[in-house]
Amino acid sequence: MMKKTEIDKLTDEQMLDQLREYYKEYEKLPRILDIKRGKNIAYRFGTWNKALSLALGEDKVTSRDVSDEQILSAIRELNDKLGRLPRLRESKYGSTARRRFGSWNNALERALGDDNVHVHHDYDRKKIVEGYKRLSKELGYAASSNDIVKDKRMPSLIYIRKEFGSIIDLANEAGISKEVVERWRDYKLQNWTPEELISGYKRLEKQLGRIPVSKDITDCKWLPKPHVFVRVFGSLTQMRDDYNLAKPNSGQSPISKKTLVRQVAEFYKEHGRFPLKREFASYSNNSIDVLLARFKTSSVYTVWEEIINDPYFKEIIEKR
């Protein structure tokens, strides 16, 4: 009798979870080669597309039955929701629209009308500079890339960068110095001194009851984003070194494989699936690299396969 491989021991739902995790992490459909032993999954469900359909839903996998009007209607709804012209990758029918209408711009024109879609050749350098001046004056500061994207009167960033090189070059031509642009880019940074950042970090550590990682700082509503810490201190590790703050696993022996299995099992029990890389780092306070190193592999899916067959994992999952 042929011996079962590790992938054969996985249930259908566990296989489909791998596809869902990939889609959630990368926000695109996985190809068969993107998933470890994808061919086995395709064989289990008959075809790769069928596996994708079962995991993610028919609408995310194929758009063959979608009419032109449905595509155009979806573009209009997305335009209203965003308050600006949607990009191809933001629409669930983006690729289909491009194939169906010849280009994404053609689809936008069909959906929204020529008057509402920027035709870039109507913009000369002078008009763009005047538009940037006007926008900056309305905002009260040097307009950023995000401000330009949100303003329907301005051409796309791709066109601007092709014409000027960068937003800073455009600002310079509009009479706004590089220093002013950078000052507005870092306006959040100016409001935080190193001492205030350290104080906020310690407060978050006390609130969490553990050492905060980058994800915790990102999720914290009253702290600036991690890049501010990086700009001030160089890195979170450097900050901890300079201010004698506790480090993840400092003063402890290397984390055991059993502990990692327990952490994964607890997450699995709570969410019904394995964690994404960023979720594991936030949940266990250990980076995914620690997990991979402990299991001596470079593939997280190999780790999941080993863990799912671990008796300790099964014991935690089955425990009420």
Side-chain angles (χ1 to χ4, degrees), residues 261 265 306-318:
V261 170
E306 186 172 336
I307 286 179
I308 205 167
N309 292 299
D310 191 303
Y312 186 50
F313 174 84
K314 294 176 181 177
E315 180 187 329
I316 295 173
I317 294 298
E318 292 168 2

Side-chain angles (χ1 to χ4, degrees), residues 19-28 56 60:
L19 307 184
R20 295 183 187 115
E21 287 170 16
Y22 184 97
Y23 183 81
K24 186 174 181 181
E25 185 160 2
Y26 297 103
E27 297 181 348
K28 66 177 183 178
L56 306 171
K60 285 189 174 70

Side-chain angles (χ1 to χ4, degrees), residues 267-289:
F267 185 97
Y268 192 98
K269 191 172 182 180
E270 183 179 340
H271 299 277
R273 59 176 175 80
F274 287 110
L276 301 176
K277 292 178 181 179
R278 60 177 180 271
E279 290 175 331
F280 177 78
S282 176
Y283 191 84
S284 73
N285 204 29
N286 290 289
S287 74
I288 198 70
D289 294 331

Side-chain angles (χ1 to χ4, degrees), residues 170-193:
L170 168 60
N172 286 338
E173 199 160 320
I176 303 172
S177 69
K178 178 180 178 180
E179 290 71 24
V180 172
V181 177
E182 290 181 339
R183 176 159 54 83
W184 277 106
R185 280 182 176 176
D186 298 337
Y187 73 98
K188 287 185 179 178
L189 180 60
Q190 296 175 40
N191 296 331
W192 288 86
T193 64

Side-chain angles (χ1 to χ4, degrees), residues 119-130:
V119 182
H120 292 156
H121 58 255
D122 287 344
Y123 286 90
D124 56 26
R125 288 180 71 92
K126 186 177 179 182
K127 190 178 288 188
I128 295 172
V129 170
E130 288 173 355

